[in-house]
Amino acid sequence: MSTENEGTAAPTPPAAPPAPPVAAPVDAAPASAAPAAAEPVTQQLPPTPAPGAEPTQQLPHTTAAQPAAPTVFPAPAPAAPASAPAYAESPVPPAAPAYAQTQHSAPEPQAHGAEGWPPPPPAAPAYGTGGGQGGGAWGMPLGTEGAPQPKPKGKGGMIAGVLAAALLAGGVGGGVGYWAADRSANGSGSTTVSAGNTPKDLKRDSGSVAGLAAGALPSVVTIEASAGDGEGGTGTGFVYDQQGHILTNNHVVASAANGGKLSATFSDGKKYEAEVVGRAQGYDVAVIKLKTPPSGLKPLPLGDSDKVAVGDSTIAIGAPFGLSNTVTTGIVSAKNRPVASGDGSGSKNSYMSALQTDASINPGNSGGPLLDGRGAVIGINSAIQSAGNGGFGGGQAGSIGLGFAIPINQAKNVAESLIKTGKPVYPVISVSVDLAAKIDGAKISETGASANELVDPNGPAGKAGLKPGDIITEFGGKPIDSGPTLISEIWTYKPGDTVKLTYLRGGKPNTVDITLGSRVGDK
């Protein structure tokens, strides 16, 4: 599987890495206990690995530049005295790109009977040609002297490819409205129908998508990160506690980690400077903190990602391509999906046993929350699968309905460690895994280093009797089909956990209990 962490391809792992990608040094001490301090206030609400652990690619954040604002056109002047239906009076969509700007001439009037019945419809507007009634392009109001008002200036924008069809529907609607009105009993009147039971103040149920989005948006921020040389991009994060900590992806803020600039903008437009508290490159999780947090911050409630089921509803919030406060919906389409994403350097890969969703996720969504049907966070949007060349014209990749999120249970454990010590702690078995092995399982490397370096005799796997060349096929009762799958599964646990591990040696299966060690910090 080739995924993209917002566009940057991850390189193929080395055939026999000299140093274990997950081999934690057993002599690394666990993170030291932090001084007694008040725990950050969070809100808590009450993975079988999918086969195939294909290498994936990390999603880079979007560039900081925002897209040009769409141009909004005024409502068109009526083409005839008769009233057109309401749907024919809607504003024209924003200015279209070149392929949607082809001019259309007015259709020829249809022949009618000798008796003049039905009467001919009013002349159809000239779509953008300036040949309609009144002399101006359709969709432009007339000035006081009958001449079209100047076209409003704007930055250009985006428009759906159905613009021409929408305009045509408006013209047809106007003609039908005229014909129906003429046939009415008194020869006049409107055919427009309004919903009689529409309340003056339309309220959305708090459990609807609109209600959940309205409750969550004030706690989601758009993050702008820039390095010392000015390069950077845009990502997303969300309020983790009332002290001003924001949870996001490591790759969103990495460029600002060493002397760069970092800011977080809320949905109300208020912008705050921020700083990096801690980063976990292997998990692709980071915590930042607002330098002067406002009062009344509302942390998003955290769900239980272990209890998520395939088919559950999902809501993704973020800033795809810089479009802040964007909400998309979908379902959980798979669980425990092994995903390896990279930054393109080949030495800084991240691994996750991900939640897969078909909610639309694009570059800029990274670090944003994936909510369940109650509005609780079940994951951090992190990576997408892209189609081959990254879309039409080879540009930056976009959503094809395959998005991946870091389960919130794992992200919460990482966040707590980062807030307390500033460093991540990884569970390890202290072996070197051959990521390039083409076998059904995770093979312990046999070459590239000494036997004691490939399997630390004093590490968890060495104490359990594993040797170079052994093939690990199960971990914690879940099948292991590759090296990345094994790493993803190990990192769902905590140091000190005891897990059952099954391996093959000479084709014969063996099962042992293994107590996970720890490694502090990224390599």
Side-chain angles (χ1 to χ4, degrees), residues 196-297:
N197 60 349
T198 301
K200 291 183 179 179
D201 295 323
L202 185 59
K203 295 182 179 180
R204 272 75 180 179
D205 183 80
S206 59
S208 66
V209 172
L212 295 173
L217 277 168
S219 300
V220 179
V221 298
T222 298
I223 297 174
E224 294 182 12
S226 62
D229 57 5
E231 293 186 2
T234 302
T236 308
F238 59 93
V239 177
Y240 183 72
D241 59 29
Q242 293 178 340
Q243 286 69 45
H245 291 107
I246 305 293
L247 194 55
T248 185
N249 282 141
N250 170 65
H251 73 264
V252 170
V253 302
S255 62
N258 298 310
K261 294 182 178 180
L262 198 62
S263 67
T265 304
F266 285 81
S267 59
D268 60 3
K270 294 182 179 179
K271 188 174 184 178
Y272 298 86
E273 292 186 358
E275 59 188 355
V276 176
V277 173
R279 301 187 296 128
Q281 174 271 317
Y283 293 118
D284 196 18
V285 172
V287 175
I288 65 175
K289 189 175 187 298
L290 305 179
K291 292 183 178 180
T292 55
S295 60
L297 286 176

Side-chain angles (χ1 to χ4, degrees), residues 19 22 35 87 125 181 257 320 400:
V22 274
Y87 60 78
I400 59 171

Side-chain angles (χ1 to χ4, degrees), residues 47-54 334-338 353 356 479 481 485 489:
T48 50
E54 306 86 343
K335 292 179 60 177
N336 301 80
R337 186 71 78 194
S353 183
Q356 180 180 319
D481 56 13
T485 301
E489 285 301 324

